[in-house]
Amino acid sequence: MNKLITLWTFIKPKVRYVFLIYTAFLLYRNNKINHTYSFFLILLDVFLIIYTFVQLNILYAQNSSKDYKSSFFIISIITYSLIWILGSCDNIYYFILLGDLFHIKNSTRRIKFLIFHTLIFAFIICFRDLSLKTLSNSLYIITFAFLIYGLTFITFYSIHKLRWDRDKLKILNANLIEYSFKEREFLISNERNRISQELHDSIGHSLMALSMNIRYLKAIKDTNKIDKELDDIDVLVKESIDTLRNTVYNLRKLDQNFNFEKQVKSIIQKFNELGIVRINFDCDTSIENESEHIKDILLTTIKEGITNGLKHGNPSEINISVELIVSAENISLIKLLIANNGQGCKSIVKSNGLNGITERIESINGTVTFESPKNKGFIIKALINGNQCET
């Protein structure tokens, strides 16, 4: 069924114009029989071709972020209805308009236009067949026409219902994985806070005890007592040094557990297991020599790039590459590329996700650009000077 959706998405734009051009051909051919309406109807058909092309390109340029305009359906249905009822041509394009109605995102509007579409269809079928044929033949043809209409409706509904469910599932799974990302970051943050609090409590207590012992030393005159207090101070200093050393070791160990390539592959594995999208990853292993801060920002950018692409572009494939180039001056330049083959857009409007990516990359003196070549797919390119970004 997924292949059927992909196939229909690919051929529908082409089929639309094929049938409109075929309608113009039929009208031209029938011009030899009836000169009254043919020229006018051909002009209407040409208008519909141009109008449809302009409106759909405007919609695609908006990356489908906005719903279909009501005027598009009203003008398209009425214009083609006039062509159909006044000209001797097929009604196949009217079924293409039926398929368009399922792209309306608002369910209430969708139902209203479906009713409008059905009523116009019923009126034209009944008007043409009851006026030109005997009653028995007309009823047979009308029944057959409504049967075809019903079967077409069920087919379109089944295809789009699967598409809606698939898109909802993709977004749901993306949200779940995004939540797991935040949960991991939350756990790491909690561990850092715990270690920091432990350091604060232990060292703070030791420093307070040292301060009190020093004050006491200043107040006493007995040499034996002074020696004893100095021994106690020495013990406290050694304990504080050991505590500080252990805390630093734990923090360093926490950072050392962060392997960039391993973390990215873990993310990819989650998506692959769910069958949401195919992700290809190419990484320069020397990236592990960069600072933890840079690797953390790269990882966060990749996470955001994947989830943002799934929510807005519905891609089937995402390619990620991280390249590290070291110049003769020993300056490392990190190139990050995240590209998907989903829906593109003519103008890029930065959302919270893209703004977050920009802020993070620029915070480490990097640059980031967003592209959608030929309104197809979406690309994130980032350049970071590794040596200048050490923290």
Side-chain angles (χ1 to χ4, degrees):
M1 204 64 176
N2 281 325
K3 292 182 178 179
L4 180 61
I5 294 175
T6 304
L7 179 63
W8 176 244
T9 303
F10 175 74
I11 67 172
K12 183 181 176 182
K14 301 172 179 59
V15 169
R16 175 194 302 279
Y17 297 110
V18 166
F19 282 123
L20 283 173
I21 294 171
Y22 178 62
T23 298
F25 170 75
L26 290 178
L27 292 169
Y28 172 76
R29 189 184 66 177
N30 294 332
N31 182 50
K32 299 175 182 178
I33 303 172
N34 188 344
H35 298 275
T36 308
Y37 302 116
S38 294
F39 182 71
F40 171 70
L41 294 178
I42 290 173
L43 287 179
L44 279 181
D45 191 68
V46 172
F47 162 77
L48 191 56
I49 292 173
I50 297 173
Y51 177 75
T52 302
F53 179 81
V54 172
Q55 290 298 317
L56 293 184
N57 273 277
I58 291 174
L59 185 70
Y60 294 150
Q62 295 169 341
N63 195 22
S64 299
S65 59
K66 294 185 178 181
D67 213 340
Y68 276 70
K69 292 182 179 180
S70 299
S71 58
F72 171 75
F73 292 110
I74 293 173
I75 293 175
S76 297
I77 291 173
I78 291 177
T79 303
Y80 194 77
S81 297
L82 287 173
I83 297 172
W84 179 20
I85 197 170
L86 298 176
S88 299
C89 61
D90 294 332
N91 58 5
I92 299 178
Y93 185 73
Y94 201 76
F95 291 105
I96 300 294
L97 293 175
L98 176 63
D100 287 338
L101 297 179
F102 288 97
H103 288 282
I104 299 176
K105 297 177 183 178
N106 184 286
S107 58
T108 303
R109 286 183 62 231
R110 190 189 313 129
I111 293 173
K112 288 180 179 178
F113 277 109
L114 282 171
I115 294 173
F116 177 67
H117 187 276
T118 305
L119 291 176
I120 295 291
F121 179 84
F123 171 77
I124 296 176
I125 289 294
C126 293
F127 177 82
R128 291 187 62 177
D129 290 297
L130 287 176
S131 61
L132 299 176
K133 299 177 179 66
T134 62
L135 181 61
S136 59
N137 287 338
S138 296
L139 291 176
Y140 173 79
I141 293 174
I142 290 171
T143 302
F144 181 76
F146 275 101
L147 178 63
I148 296 298
Y149 189 89
L151 291 174
T152 305
F153 173 84
I154 293 172
T155 301
F156 280 139
Y157 178 80
S158 300
I159 292 173
H160 289 283
K161 180 67 167 58
L162 180 62
R163 178 177 61 85
W164 296 330
D165 292 341
R166 183 196 63 180
D167 293 345
K168 287 178 181 178
L169 183 62
K170 276 192 174 185
I171 293 175
L172 178 62
N173 286 331
N175 287 336
L176 287 173
I177 294 177
E178 186 178 18
Y179 173 78
S180 71
F181 295 158
K182 293 179 179 179
E183 182 183 28
R184 177 186 174 278
E185 292 168 1
F186 176 75
L187 292 174
I188 292 176
S189 177
N190 277 353
E191 182 65 13
R192 289 183 184 276
N193 290 336
R194 184 193 67 78
I195 294 173
S196 299
Q197 187 64 43
E198 181 181 307
L199 178 64
H200 174 271
D201 293 342
S202 59
I203 298 297
H205 174 76
S206 298
L207 291 174
M208 183 64 69
L210 286 171
S211 177
M212 293 176 63
N213 285 345
I214 290 172
R215 290 178 185 177
Y216 179 68
L217 281 174
K218 291 180 179 179
I220 63 176
K221 305 296 182 182
D222 191 336
T223 304
N224 293 329
K225 289 184 177 181
I226 290 176
D227 290 339
K228 183 179 181 304
E229 290 300 323
L230 287 173
D231 290 338
D232 291 341
I233 290 174
D234 184 51
V235 171
L236 280 172
V237 169
K238 289 180 179 178
E239 289 178 353
S240 299
I241 292 173
D242 289 338
T243 301
L244 181 61
R245 183 183 291 113
N246 290 332
T247 304
V248 171
Y249 172 77
N250 289 332
L251 285 172
R252 186 174 296 172
K253 186 177 180 181
L254 188 64
D255 287 335
Q256 286 175 347
N257 288 333
F258 174 58
N259 182 283
F260 174 74
E261 186 175 4
K262 183 178 179 181
Q263 290 294 328
V264 175
K265 288 183 177 179
S266 175
I267 294 170
I268 294 173
Q269 184 180 0
K270 289 182 179 180
F271 283 99
N272 288 340
E273 288 175 352
L274 292 171
I276 299 175
V277 63
R278 179 183 176 185
I279 302 178
N280 303 312
F281 178 55
D282 183 29
C283 179
D284 193 328
T285 56
S286 56
I287 196 71
E288 302 296 345
N289 298 326
E290 294 296 322
S291 71
E292 303 298 327
H293 184 54
I294 289 179
K295 291 192 290 184
D296 185 63
I297 287 180
L298 288 173
L299 181 64
T300 305
T301 302
I302 290 173
K303 292 175 183 177
E304 188 66 43
I306 294 173
T307 54
N308 198 65
L310 286 174
K311 290 177 181 178
H312 302 289
N314 193 26
S316 60
E317 185 174 357
I318 300 176
N319 294 305
I320 303 170
S321 67
V322 181
E323 184 181 3
L324 183 65
I325 302 173
V326 180
S327 66
E329 293 79 16
N330 200 30
I331 297 177
S332 60
L333 182 67
I334 302 170
K335 291 184 177 182
L336 171 65
L337 178 67
I338 307 172
N340 68 59
N341 65 347
Q343 296 174 351
C345 54
K346 187 175 182 180
S347 58
I348 298 174
V349 179
K350 288 187 178 181
S351 59
N352 291 333
L354 297 185
N355 283 326
I357 290 174
T358 302
E359 291 173 3
R360 282 189 290 270
I361 297 297
E362 290 181 350
S363 71
I364 52 176
N365 301 324
T367 59
V368 61
T369 58
F370 306 102
E371 301 174 8
S372 182
K374 298 181 180 179
N375 301 338
K376 293 182 180 179
F378 197 81
I379 300 174
I380 301 173
K381 293 180 180 179
L383 291 175
I384 303 168
N385 192 320
N387 290 344
Q388 294 182 5
C389 301
E390 297 291 336
T391 57

